[in-house]
Amino acid sequence: MTSSKSNTTLRELRNTYIAKGNVSATTCFVSHAHGAVITDVEGRDYIDFAGGIAVMNVGHSHPKVVAAIKEQADKFTHTCFMVSPYEGPVILAEKLCQAVPGTSPKAAMFANCGVEAVENAVKIARYFTKRPAIIAFEGGFHGRTLMGMTLTSKIAPYKAGLGPFAPEVYRMPFANCYRCPYDREYPQCKTACADKLEEFFVSYVGADQTAAIIVEPVQGEGGFIVPPKEYFAKLKTICEKHGILMIADEVQTGIGRTGAMFAMEHYGVEADLTTIAKSLAAGMPLSAVVGKKEIMDCVHPSGIGGTYNGNPVACAAALAVFDIFEQEDLLAKAQHLGNLLKEGLLGLQEKFSLIGDVRGIGPMMAIELVKDKHSKEPATAETKTLVKFCFERGLIILGCGTYGNVIRFLMPLVTTEAQLRQGLDLLQEGFASL
Ligand SMILES: Cc1ncc(COP(=O)(O)O)c(C=O)c1O
């Protein structure tokens, strides 16, 4: 036992005092976590293939992150950047502006979590274009605030009963090749789904009223949907023709998750605004909007900001994250891990007909479970059973997808080959047991 309270006691306390809507995917309570392993309060180890939902790309309790947090906490924890500024956010902004894809001069602002970055990106896009409408995509996930849940596609659990929603948000189908909304085949379709944006302006909202489209380079919560390579370039060309901004929501894909620092690198597209959070500060609450300087600079003084934005401890952690990527060649490790993961998952697909699709980029991979490969009927119950089976044997995996039938892999990029193999073996046992 590594805590004075057991999992059962903590569950009872939780049920009494934590609001029921705020659920957890697993039933154990964490005592400590290192690298890719979480240990619960009763001393049980779990291999972590969830990474706190894409937050722990550098691994749990990385010594450099821990040291940076301690060192900064010893100096000061808050003065408010809007009152008495300090170095951390300035240095971090420089690093982010250099790292976000594209050659345009850039500027950044900080917030505390992914959806707050999304909110700010929408505010800035509207201010810059003087237009109200935002186009989001089917399957998209952008968070849980009023604007965030409005932009989010999935009704249950994210929107059901929680409206009314923010105005001037429109939604169009996404490039989902496994379940094409237009029933076409890639590449014969010539990515016609991107061209639909022009038609959208005829029937749903005027191009001259549209401030921005907001897109995830790889849809996260929506089921790790990877659009064809040319998709975003086509969307961007249409946007530019009409003076519409592209917001790349890299909250989940950013900071090395796909084997590149930002996923838009894979598509060779420079977004106008990019939202970043999750693995940016290795678990400290920190997010950013990074965008073209003339756009970022458009808002009048104090039109954006907030009490905790650019918190010094969180920024120190984020700077340590950048050092780790550089010093430990983490992008190369991520690519290697991604290759091994893909190979392992494709091997499982050969053995188990339940796996309809294996997809992703680098170590941001997922498998989609279907009852039948032809009808593609989602195997939602089987997915739940598999997640539970793995957890009970010491492996944390997460479901996702519009139908809850996708298992996503978001393990720390420092996961060892042995841990990866152990996890895949447990997954194989799980499939065999179904
Ligand atoms: C693409 C994307 N955008 C926004 C968010 C919201 O981030 P947060 O939960 O930190 O507000 C998430 C969270 O999963 C996300 O995946």
Side-chain angles (χ1 to χ4, degrees), residues 63-77 87 312-313 316-317 320 323:
K64 285 177 187 150
V65 173
V66 174
I69 289 171
K70 283 182 177 165
E71 195 187 327
Q72 179 56 48
D74 269 345
K75 291 182 190 158
F76 63 98
T77 55
E87 180 178 304
V313 182
D323 284 349

Side-chain angles (χ1 to χ4, degrees), residues 11 65 150 191 427:
R11 270 197 300 274
V65 173
T150 305
T191 328
L427 200 59

